[in-house]
Amino acid sequence: MSALDPLTLDRVAELIVDIGGPYERKGYQLEALLQRAKWIDPPIYDGSPRVPWLRDQFEARQQNSGELERLLCRVCDPIEYDEGAVIANEIRAAVNDRLAPEHLVVTLVGGRPVLGEIGSDGHKPTFSEPPDLRRRLEMLVADTETVDVLMGRVEETRICATGGAYRMATIGVGTFIEGLLLAVLLERDEDLRINGFPDVRQRISPDKRTTKRSKADWVSLELLIDTAYAKNWVQLDAAAFAHAVRDFRNFIHPRKEISEKPRFDADTVMLCWGPVQALMNDLEQNLPTSGADC
């Protein structure tokens, strides 16, 4: 996401504060909202007029598109409102009205709000890799070598997508999810790191799951996704759509491709990045911004 026009910042700030409206936010509520959006060093409200104050915070973070994206998505998230999806959908429509001149739109991917660009048809949203990705990875993963490896996967995925190698690009997105979840789970859970992963797979009933633990060297992407869900680090819908990306990743096996005869194109790659954004948004909202054990 590129820098937003000053008028867009004004309009979004007015919407979020909603002075005199049914969803008005006081100063302390604005502080809490920025904290829930996982801003780094979120500002303390200084008692000045709220709309200009919030707009100034936007302006100060223009170079950090990831934080602005997370705020826009948080404002549109059903979890933010007691009434849930009914109010969230109303707010999302209002946010999108203000983002339309920027050719941006907040849409739902598996029930999770994700920021995308408006496609050439003027309606269909398109997705790409999450903005400010390296910095966001460094907030989730402490090991710098792992971050370098994950960013290398992203760079090669870009090269594949640009060159028309859409099959390999979708596989690349799936391996990125695998590496991200493995790193986050091992860094933040000592039991998993030492003893391996218990069988919490959702597609298998508890009475039929194996009692053996999977070592980190052999853990499947399916189990990584379901473990993150079982720990409440990602929501069910984000996990479900991560499984869809996992299925695309599995086309690395020629036998699967010969059997199912999928068609890969730029839209396939784009649709895989949407769940990645939802997954990262969940991780950022539910985990502390360090590699320490939880």
Side-chain angles (χ1 to χ4, degrees), residues 6-291:
L7 289 177
T8 301
L9 297 179
D10 289 339
R11 292 162 183 153
V12 172
E14 290 171 355
L15 172 65
I16 292 175
V17 177
D18 195 30
I19 292 178
Y23 314 118
E24 181 173 0
R25 288 182 170 91
K26 305 299 184 183
Y28 72 91
Q29 293 173 315
L30 295 175
E31 283 185 20
L33 175 65
L34 300 181
Q35 291 171 2
R36 290 193 295 274
K38 293 296 183 180
W39 278 29
I40 298 176
D41 297 326
I44 298 174
Y45 176 60
D46 60 8
S48 62
R50 284 167 287 163
V51 172
W53 178 84
L54 184 58
R55 193 252 186 242
D56 288 346
Q57 308 315 312
F58 293 166
E59 184 66 37
R61 306 280 174 140
Q62 278 276 51
Q63 300 305 314
N64 191 337
S65 57
E67 290 191 341
L68 289 177
E69 176 186 341
R70 289 199 302 278
L71 177 62
L72 291 169
C73 290
R74 182 71 195 192
V75 168
C76 300
D77 197 323
I79 201 172
E80 187 68 21
Y81 306 96
D82 292 338
E83 300 86 347
V86 174
I87 301 304
N89 289 337
E90 179 182 337
I91 298 296
R92 183 164 58 89
V95 168
N96 286 339
D97 284 344
R98 289 152 179 80
L99 294 179
E102 306 279 358
H103 303 289
L104 296 172
V105 60
V106 178
T107 188
L108 299 181
V109 175
R112 308 294 295 136
V114 174
L115 184 69
E117 297 181 1
I118 297 176
S120 57
D121 62 0
H123 300 285
K124 183 180 179 182
T126 63
F127 304 104
S128 58
E129 67 190 69
D132 199 16
L133 185 52
R134 173 175 281 277
R135 190 195 62 78
R136 294 173 71 178
L137 284 175
E138 290 171 344
M139 293 171 60
L140 292 169
V141 178
D143 184 65
T144 56
E145 183 177 358
T146 299
V147 172
D148 288 341
V149 168
L150 291 174
M151 288 306 300
R153 299 279 173 133
V154 171
E155 177 60 29
E156 292 181 5
T157 297
R158 290 190 205 118
I159 294 171
C160 289
T162 301
Y166 303 122
R167 174 191 298 102
M168 299 311 296
T170 59
I171 291 170
V173 176
T175 65
F176 172 83
I177 290 179
E178 181 175 0
L180 170 63
L181 289 178
L182 181 63
V184 169
L185 287 163
L186 290 180
E187 284 189 356
R188 295 167 181 264
D189 192 303
E190 184 178 12
D191 178 54
L192 297 178
R193 189 164 60 246
I194 296 175
N195 299 314
F197 290 72
D199 190 355
V200 295
R201 290 174 295 171
Q202 297 299 303
R203 69 181 182 87
I204 297 176
S205 61
D207 61 306
K208 294 183 179 180
R209 295 171 187 165
T210 178
T211 58
K212 295 182 179 180
R213 287 192 169 215
S214 299
K215 295 182 179 180
D217 290 343
W218 299 101
V219 64
S220 66
L221 178 52
E222 177 188 17
L223 185 53
L224 290 172
I225 295 170
D226 287 348
T227 300
Y229 169 67
K231 293 174 69 65
N232 294 316
W233 291 0
V234 300
Q235 295 190 25
L236 177 61
D237 37 27
F241 275 75
H243 279 302
V245 179
R246 173 181 64 86
D247 194 51
F248 278 113
R249 190 285 311 263
N250 287 343
F251 284 115
I252 193 172
H253 303 294
R255 181 187 304 174
K256 180 176 174 65
E257 183 174 349
I258 292 170
S259 173
E260 299 186 25
K261 298 179 175 58
R263 297 181 61 183
F264 298 94
D265 56 22
D267 283 347
T268 311
V269 182
M270 177 269 292
L271 290 171
C272 286
W273 278 124
V276 171
Q277 293 195 29
L279 192 71
M280 290 198 66
N281 287 344
D282 276 2
L283 290 173
E284 288 168 337
Q285 289 179 11
N286 295 318
L287 296 177
T289 56
S290 72

